[in-house]
Amino acid sequence: LAPILAKGHYEVTAVDISPDMLNIARNSYSDVGLFNTRFFISDAEVISQQLGSEIYDAVICLRLMHRVPQPVRLKILQEISRVANYSIVSFGVKSQYNNIRKKIRNLIFWERNNSEELCLESIYNIECDLSNFFQPVKKIWVSKYLSEEVFFLLKSKVFDPG
């Protein structure tokens, strides 16, 4: 994302629970000359506690939602909907192709010891979870059948700029 955000001269606040991931982000932003950034270590369930009453133009949350169980996912979505009017959120989607895709990836990338358990949901369940806090603006499948990932552009139902 760093090159895209750098072209737009955006101010960026990066939040992750992992210091290692924040260091990767810090280096990526620095490499493209985007220095108007802040970095916070925080659990996504309590972003507003870490950042206070700050509001944002948009939140981008990628490659997280399918890694956390549904109750945690709902808390994260609620937090995101409180701090920004618009969000881009990605989800891995449960489908008949997941096991086939995993076997192919294991053969190609030698991921035999990858024990990460994903919390994949059907697209219907994902849309139901989102409907609690957001109005979907657009849904985009990324390489459907290959990645089984979908991106949503969302408008918050609960955002109040105060």
Side-chain angles (χ1 to χ4, degrees), residues 11-105:
E11 293 179 30
V12 175
T13 300
V15 179
D16 203 297
I17 198 167
S18 164
D20 291 338
M21 292 306 293
L22 282 176
N23 283 334
I24 291 169
R26 186 178 285 112
N27 291 334
S28 294
Y29 289 116
S30 178
D31 289 347
V32 296
L34 185 59
F35 299 105
N36 197 10
T37 58
R38 299 180 305 153
F39 299 89
F40 293 97
I41 298 172
S42 179
D43 188 319
E45 293 177 79
V46 292
I47 294 171
S48 60
Q49 291 175 15
Q50 175 72 29
L51 302 177
S53 60
E54 291 188 47
I55 58 171
Y56 298 89
D57 295 324
V59 169
I60 301 171
C61 180
L62 306 177
R63 320 242 44 214
L64 171 66
M65 295 300 175
H66 55 275
R67 300 181 189 283
V68 295
Q70 199 252 1
V72 173
R73 185 168 48 248
L74 287 173
K75 288 180 184 176
I76 294 169
L77 290 170
Q78 183 177 21
E79 280 292 292
I80 291 171
S81 70
R82 279 194 268 193
V83 300
N85 196 28
Y86 288 94
S87 301
I88 298 171
V89 182
S90 73
F91 290 83
V93 179
K94 184 178 186 175
S95 79
Q96 62 189 6
Y97 302 103
N98 292 119
N99 288 335
I100 296 168
R101 189 176 70 81
K102 188 173 183 177
K103 286 177 185 177
I104 292 170
R105 284 181 56 95

Side-chain angles (χ1 to χ4, degrees), residues 101-140:
R101 189 176 70 81
K102 188 173 183 177
K103 286 177 185 177
I104 292 170
R105 284 181 56 95
N106 287 345
L107 289 171
I108 294 171
F109 299 111
W110 299 85
E111 296 177 354
R112 287 175 177 48
N113 296 323
N114 184 358
S115 61
E116 179 181 27
E117 195 60 37
L118 299 178
C119 301
L120 299 172
E121 296 281 349
S122 70
I123 192 68
Y124 174 80
N125 287 346
I126 292 168
E127 289 174 337
C128 286
D129 286 352
L130 290 171
S131 70
N132 291 305
F133 310 105
F134 298 98
Q135 177 68 40
V137 176
K138 189 164 187 161
K139 173 173 61 175
I140 301 169

